[in-house]
Amino acid sequence: MFKQLIELYTHGDLDKIRGNILHSTAWRQHDFTSYGNSQIEKQWLKSIEQFGFNQLESSLTVSGDNYSALCFELSNKNNEGHINISLFFEHNESHIKRVNCIVDTISLAQLMNVNNEELINILPIPDPLLVSQFDHQLHPQSNHAKPKDLVSLPSEMAAAVDRWWNIWQASQLAGFDTLYEKSAHVNIAGSGAKNSYEQLRNFRIKLSNALGRSYCQLENICFDPTEKTVAVSWQIDGDYLDNGIMKRIRIPVMSFLTIEDGKISGEKFQVDWLSLSKRFQLQTPLL
Amino acid sequence: MPSQHDKSITQVYWKPLEELLNPIGEKQQQLVGFDDEFNDIVDYIIRITHRIWEQKNIGLCYQYYSDICPVFTLGGYSEDVEQVVQNTLKTIAAFPDRSLIGENVIWKESNDNSYYSSHLITSIMTNTGDSEFGPATHKTGRVTTIADCVCFENKIIKEWLVRDNSFLIKQLGIDPIDAAIRFATVTPHPEFSQWFDAEYKRVLQSQHRIEINLNNEGWSPTNFVQSWVQSLFNQKQFSKLGDYYHIAASHQWPGGRQSLGVAQISGTLIQWLAQCPDAKMTVDHIAVVDFDKDTIDVAIRWSIAGQYTPHTQRLASLKGNRFFVLGASHLRINNQKIIKEATVFDEIALYANLIRESGQTLPLLEQGTKHV
């Protein structure tokens, strides 16, 4: 299915992927869920219009049993514009049931040569969301999802993913130095194509300080032992003081990790920042 | 006779629509008195729903509903097939492109040859006509519905219908309380008040302090559901959430309440129940079917009653009024823990009933009420 999904965006090949879509398939993109062929095809055509017919620069696949994930980068002909598109999907080899698609919309705005506000205006209106207030603290006797609760990973991968999650769930910043290869290729949505793990660490610190009462929750994990790749779908909840108004926000995230010899050699941190701004009507960008 | 756990019964989740509408294979259930074309109760529900709603053959209600067919919703009551036809026509007129995507059918067979079905539906629809919520908005929205039906001899003879109207209303750009104020002006069927009174009294009498322990060794879906209701909703023991939910469970509640994992679920339940702190909940029906080797699907119809404690200043004058919810939940349970929940009820009707019963006329937002 990876090929069909990529060719949808590189060649506009709707026919190939159409056969994998059910009447009851749900496709969430820009925090809006399209249901069934008619709405999903409308979403595809809108994306193709916005992305343009660009070339595939790179792709990272995570082929799991019931869930798989794909992150690919497109670049325009002059190689001046890049965009990362990430998909995490439930499937049964022949059909796709649910898709969570995250587009790096800040890169998309640059690719489209529009400013962020202009792109926000034309993004779909997000699904209604009521974010509940809850106790975010990691009390000694309360339970909070860890990677092993969702997936059984090979031991070397499991240790690395646990330590990675500890960075986010428990703010264990020292993990960056010991877990990442010095030359690890990192991509943070909205921050350009190539970042270092030090930049990711700075981003993590800034994010922690921008959000009060933050809480990280795992949604799903899939892994591919042959490719040594892991895809994690997760969320960050937190209080954000937006232009004097306190808002409880939720940030959907997708992380793609490449793990070699127990260390992270590559990571893509995917967030649709502009849809987040639209959903919570943010007056000031989070970061 | 095939049981609720028989794998040969139609499984909706992964089936393309073409296969659902053109089933092959042999009849899997006796279906006494049903048309021969139907292989099982899931096939019956999926195909008649498609014919009536997607193909707009509203008149088929005469074929598939009994002449007397009580339909219970939190927003009203209808008693016979004529009202079913009229209500269906009105909905299609207001939302002409309404699609009904069957997500799941959980069912139960009874000894009297009747079948209970609980149909989880996602609809996409554009509001091009005036509806009970207000003038046409020309916006497209999505809504989740659960239709619980008793089916006997090819007809639906009783139905409980719940729809997540607050989620729909928000997509249409209508303020939910405005929608409830407008809806409160609709006079319900006389039978509705009798049903509402009787149900409210019945649910209040539930014995909420009795312990219903989760029996892990002799685990059964019925004990699990009864214990889930008693521990969480009646006794508000939220530290027990992990006994019932997988640690990364997904939880969909009305109005766009989406939660992942026990911490978020805890927040959703506490905040919702705070508007009815003395809530009593009853389990009114349970059906269980297999999903896969380790996973079952459970459909629950339930009711909640208590006294309203307003969560918004706009409804402050309704404090102490009768708070009653008819709800339905579909739970997917893997290894004795809920991994996915879709709970549906009509919040707009809930508030409309509170407003109507108070006899008050509340102002709409455009009439100068501050949005709270």
Side-chain angles (χ1 to χ4, degrees):
Chain A
M1 288 175 190
F2 297 132
K3 192 167 175 246
Q4 291 96 310
L5 286 163
I6 289 171
E7 289 186 354
L8 170 68
Y9 297 106
T10 50
H11 296 99
D13 195 338
L14 271 71
D15 264 356
K16 280 188 190 152
I17 188 69
R18 194 180 271 136
N20 302 112
I21 299 297
L22 294 161
H23 187 51
S24 58
T25 297
W27 186 294
R28 189 172 73 205
Q29 182 173 331
H30 304 306
D31 293 333
F32 169 77
T33 309
S34 304
Y35 255 87
N37 303 76
S38 145
Q39 273 201 318
I40 289 172
E41 289 191 15
K42 195 176 164 196
Q43 173 68 64
W44 289 343
L45 292 171
K46 178 56 81 178
S47 295
I48 291 168
E49 180 193 351
Q50 291 174 343
F51 302 169
F53 289 96
N54 288 316
Q55 60 203 15
L56 180 68
E57 190 74 21
S58 64
S59 68
L60 194 151
T61 58
V62 187
S63 183
D65 290 338
N66 304 112
Y67 292 90
S68 291
L70 166 68
C71 182
F72 59 100
E73 185 182 351
L74 302 177
S75 65
N76 61 13
K77 286 180 183 138
N78 305 327
N79 210 21
E80 290 166 348
H82 297 257
I83 180 172
N84 273 294
I85 300 148
S86 311
L87 302 109
F88 199 114
F89 53 99
E90 182 186 7
H91 65 91
N92 68 348
E93 302 294 343
S94 56
H95 290 101
I96 294 173
K97 186 71 179 181
R98 281 176 200 283
V99 180
N100 179 12
C101 175
I102 291 186
V103 177
D104 178 352
T105 38
I106 289 182
S107 300
L108 177 60
Q110 290 163 1
L111 190 74
M112 292 171 68
N113 203 20
V114 297
N115 65 40
N116 291 347
E117 287 69 31
E118 286 172 316
L119 182 54
I120 287 172
N121 286 337
I122 58 171
L123 291 174
I125 295 170
D127 297 336
L129 175 69
L130 267 179
V131 181
S132 291
Q133 298 286 345
F134 59 88
D135 188 348
H136 67 288
Q137 301 171 92
L138 305 177
H139 294 299
Q141 293 192 10
S142 57
N143 295 311
H144 308 276
K146 295 193 182 308
K148 68 176 171 53
D149 297 316
L150 282 83
V151 69
S152 184
L153 293 164
S155 59
E156 197 177 70
M157 261 186 168
V161 174
D162 277 347
R163 288 167 65 203
W164 170 83
W165 183 240
N166 210 27
I167 288 173
W168 293 98
Q169 190 185 46
S171 301
Q172 174 49 4
L173 300 173
F176 279 103
D177 277 337
T178 53
L179 180 58
Y180 285 78
E181 294 278 4
K182 295 289 178 209
S183 57
H185 295 290
V186 175
N187 171 258
I188 307 166
S191 302
K194 288 178 183 166
N195 308 117
S196 63
Y197 83 84
E198 286 94 344
Q199 286 170 293
L200 184 63
R201 181 170 59 194
N202 290 342
F203 169 82
R204 172 72 186 101
I205 295 166
K206 279 185 186 168
L207 190 66
S208 288
N209 292 330
L211 295 176
R213 300 190 307 132
S214 68
Y215 184 82
C216 297
Q217 171 67 47
L218 289 169
E219 182 176 20
N220 214 333
I221 299 176
C222 64
F223 78 103
D224 189 331
T226 54
E227 299 287 329
K228 299 178 179 175
T229 49
V230 179
V232 187
S233 168
W234 55 291
Q235 300 174 343
I236 308 170
D237 278 23
D239 293 339
Y240 178 56
L241 188 61
D242 179 32
N243 207 17
I245 300 169
M246 187 60 80
K247 294 177 176 173
R248 187 76 179 161
I249 65 168
R250 177 169 296 165
I251 310 169
V253 188
M254 222 179 276
S255 296
F256 287 78
L257 312 175
T258 305
I259 298 170
E260 291 175 284
D261 300 325
K263 289 203 163 191
I264 294 176
S265 59
E267 174 166 354
K268 285 178 181 287
F269 181 93
Q270 297 299 298
V271 173
D272 184 343
W273 294 113
L274 299 187
S275 294
L276 180 81
S277 287
K278 182 155 188 160
R279 162 164 268 170
F280 295 100
Q281 298 174 340
L282 302 183
Q283 303 298 312
T284 48
L286 184 62
L287 292 171
Chain B
M1 180 182 292
S3 73
Q4 278 81 284
H5 302 282
D6 194 301
K7 299 262 188 321
S8 54
I9 305 298
T10 304
Q11 170 66 262
V12 176
Y13 197 75
W14 286 112
K15 264 211 184 344
L17 183 64
E18 302 72 42
E19 288 181 29
L20 288 168
L21 298 180
N22 302 288
I24 51 172
E26 295 174 357
K27 193 178 272 292
Q28 299 296 327
Q29 288 175 313
Q30 282 195 325
L31 295 176
V32 175
F34 286 71
D35 289 345
D36 276 344
E37 64 170 315
F38 299 117
N39 286 346
D40 54 55
I41 192 62
V42 178
D43 174 29
Y44 169 81
I45 288 292
I46 292 290
R47 281 203 279 164
I48 72 163
T49 305
H50 184 83
R51 287 169 187 172
I52 293 169
W53 284 96
E54 301 226 328
Q55 296 187 312
K56 313 285 185 283
N57 288 316
I58 302 163
L60 284 178
C61 291
Y62 292 114
Q63 189 176 325
Y64 296 124
Y65 279 81
S66 64
D67 286 355
I68 300 298
C69 176
V71 178
F72 302 94
T73 73
L74 196 55
Y77 168 84
S78 76
E79 185 146 282
D80 55 39
V81 67
E82 295 297 345
Q83 286 168 305
V84 172
V85 170
Q86 289 164 26
N87 290 340
T88 307
L89 186 65
K90 276 194 263 183
T91 304
I92 290 180
F95 299 91
D97 60 351
R98 184 179 183 187
S99 62
L100 270 83
I101 300 168
E103 300 269 11
N104 203 1
V105 179
I106 301 173
W107 54 275
K108 187 176 185 179
E109 186 172 2
S110 297
N111 293 330
D112 62 358
N113 290 328
S114 71
Y115 295 82
Y116 191 99
S117 74
S118 183
H119 189 187
L120 178 70
I121 301 160
T122 297
S123 289
I124 310 296
M125 49 204 210
T126 307
N127 177 212
T128 62
D130 296 354
S131 72
E132 64 264 43
F133 306 119
T137 62
H138 301 280
K139 290 183 176 167
T140 301
R142 182 175 99 239
V143 69
T144 308
T145 302
I146 295 180
D148 276 21
C149 297
V150 179
C151 312
F152 181 68
E153 294 184 342
N154 214 43
K155 290 180 191 293
I156 293 168
I157 62 171
K158 203 172 192 179
E159 182 169 351
W160 294 263
L161 190 62
V162 292
R163 201 167 80 173
D164 183 1
N165 277 330
S166 58
F167 187 72
L168 175 65
I169 286 299
K170 289 175 184 176
Q171 293 164 85
L172 300 183
I174 301 171
D175 175 77
I177 295 177
D178 275 5
I181 292 168
R182 286 200 183 93
F183 192 53
T185 62
V186 176
T187 306
H189 190 288
E191 287 284 331
F192 178 76
S193 300
Q194 291 178 31
W195 169 78
F196 189 98
D197 290 346
E199 285 294 280
Y200 187 79
K201 282 179 194 152
R202 176 183 68 82
V203 178
L204 277 190
Q205 286 165 2
S206 71
Q207 300 296 309
H208 67 290
R209 294 181 65 172
I210 296 171
E211 288 294 324
I212 304 180
N213 293 321
L214 192 55
N215 186 351
N216 283 318
E217 287 179 13
W219 194 91
S220 75
T222 303
N223 166 259
F224 179 86
V225 169
Q226 296 286 2
S227 179
W228 172 72
V229 165
Q230 195 75 339
S231 299
L232 302 182
F233 296 89
N234 285 331
Q235 299 183 348
K236 284 86 178 170
Q237 298 190 63
F238 300 108
S239 71
K240 290 190 176 180
L241 271 164
D243 294 347
Y244 303 96
Y245 289 92
H246 182 265
I247 203 153
S250 86
H251 189 258
Q252 175 191 325
W253 265 52
R257 295 172 177 88
Q258 293 283 348
S259 307
L260 266 182
V262 291
Q264 291 182 12
I265 293 169
S266 165
T268 295
L269 295 182
I270 289 171
Q271 298 218 319
W272 190 80
L273 283 166
Q275 61 185 317
C276 185
D278 63 343
K280 309 278 190 304
M281 183 171 181
T282 57
V283 177
D284 303 330
H285 191 273
I286 301 175
V288 185
V289 296
D290 283 342
F291 177 68
D292 63 24
K293 190 165 62 71
D294 303 313
T295 314
I296 56 170
D297 282 341
V298 180
I300 307 157
R301 178 165 49 81
W302 51 264
S303 306
I304 278 181
Q307 288 188 313
Y308 181 47
T309 300
H311 61 301
T312 161
Q313 198 57 37
R314 287 183 72 190
L315 300 179
S317 61
L318 306 178
K319 185 172 169 51
N321 283 12
R322 295 194 299 175
F323 182 101
F324 178 75
V325 179
L326 166 68
S329 301
H330 275 206
L331 311 180
R332 180 153 293 160
I333 300 177
N334 176 266
N335 292 327
Q336 306 183 1
K337 296 276 174 76
I338 299 165
I339 55 170
K340 189 174 182 182
E341 171 178 342
T343 282
V344 181
F345 52 85
D346 183 352
E347 276 191 302
I348 304 300
L350 164 65
Y351 297 128
N353 292 338
L354 283 159
I355 295 165
R356 190 186 302 113
E357 192 163 87
S358 75
Q360 298 174 32
T361 306
L362 300 182
L364 301 169
L365 272 183
E366 67 238 36
Q367 292 169 324
T369 308
K370 193 178 166 207
H371 196 324
V372 182

